[in-house]
Amino acid sequence: MLQAFTLFHVAISLAAIVAGFVVVYGLLNNRTLTGWTSFFLATTTLTSVTGFLFPFHGVTPAIILGVISIVTLAIAYWARRQWLASQRLRKTYLSTMVIALYFNVFVLVVQSFEKVPSLKALAPTQKEPPFQVAQAIVLVLFITLGVLSVRRFHGDGSAKALSRAA
């Protein structure tokens, strides 16, 4: 049963990551992709929620990240709704969308170094330079995507399109 649940959790996580990159591509091109955005938010929320259903003992870094992710997603949902009425929360909306995707990719890197034998051999404790370099590259990539999204996406005329999806 746990194996099937794990497979489900991984599948929705990967779907969320793919959808998130599609959404960010749209943001970078000043395009509102309402269907993809709704799918990304739903699957990312489901990923975070299902993460809490695994057996755990005590507070772990994964639990802390899950809580931060849920808070980030709540802000993203709220900013998206508010942004429909005015452009005031555009930067909040864009930032939280990119941060939510970053959290998913951050966990993907952690899990890859934990589960893929060749990566585990490079960084068995995840304190070694290969792991740190990989996470630094991911962080720089997402900071760049966040800054570019805020600069390029203005959502001109997209509030009506977003309101249909909200």
Side-chain angles (χ1 to χ4, degrees):
M1 184 71 146
L2 184 60
Q3 187 176 3
F5 182 72
T6 301
L7 185 60
F8 171 72
H9 177 76
V10 169
I12 60 172
S13 299
L14 293 174
I17 290 169
V18 169
F21 277 113
V22 171
V23 169
V24 170
Y25 175 80
L27 298 176
L28 293 174
N29 290 288
N30 198 32
R31 294 185 56 212
T32 303
L33 304 173
T34 55
W36 281 102
T37 301
S38 295
F39 183 75
F40 167 69
L41 287 169
T43 53
T44 300
T45 300
L46 192 56
T47 294
S48 293
V49 169
T50 58
F52 291 112
L53 301 177
F54 286 97
F56 64 92
H57 305 286
V59 178
T60 65
I63 297 295
I64 294 169
L65 185 62
V67 170
I68 295 169
S69 180
I70 292 287
V71 170
T72 301
L73 288 163
I75 294 168
Y77 277 108
W78 173 78
R80 185 177 188 211
R81 284 227 177 254
Q82 296 302 313
W83 182 62
L84 297 176
S86 73
Q87 292 274 325
R88 283 190 347 222
L89 291 173
R90 179 181 63 87
K91 290 179 183 177
T92 302
Y93 166 70
L94 296 169
S95 299
T96 54
M97 294 291 286
V98 174
I99 290 168
L101 177 58
Y102 166 72
F103 287 152
N104 284 345
V105 173
F106 175 88
V107 172
L108 175 65
V109 172
V110 169
Q111 290 297 314
S112 296
F113 272 90
E114 199 170 284
K115 308 290 186 204
V116 176
S118 58
L119 293 176
K120 188 168 181 80
L122 290 173
T125 67
Q126 296 185 355
K127 293 180 180 168
E128 294 79 10
F131 178 78
Q132 294 170 345
V133 167
Q135 289 294 21
I137 289 168
V138 168
L139 180 60
V140 169
L141 170 70
F142 277 91
I143 289 171
T144 303
L145 289 174
V147 169
L148 290 175
S149 294
V150 168
R151 286 186 181 168
R152 292 183 180 180
F153 185 81
H154 300 288
D156 300 328
S158 64
K160 289 179 184 173
L162 275 174
S163 65
R164 289 191 296 266

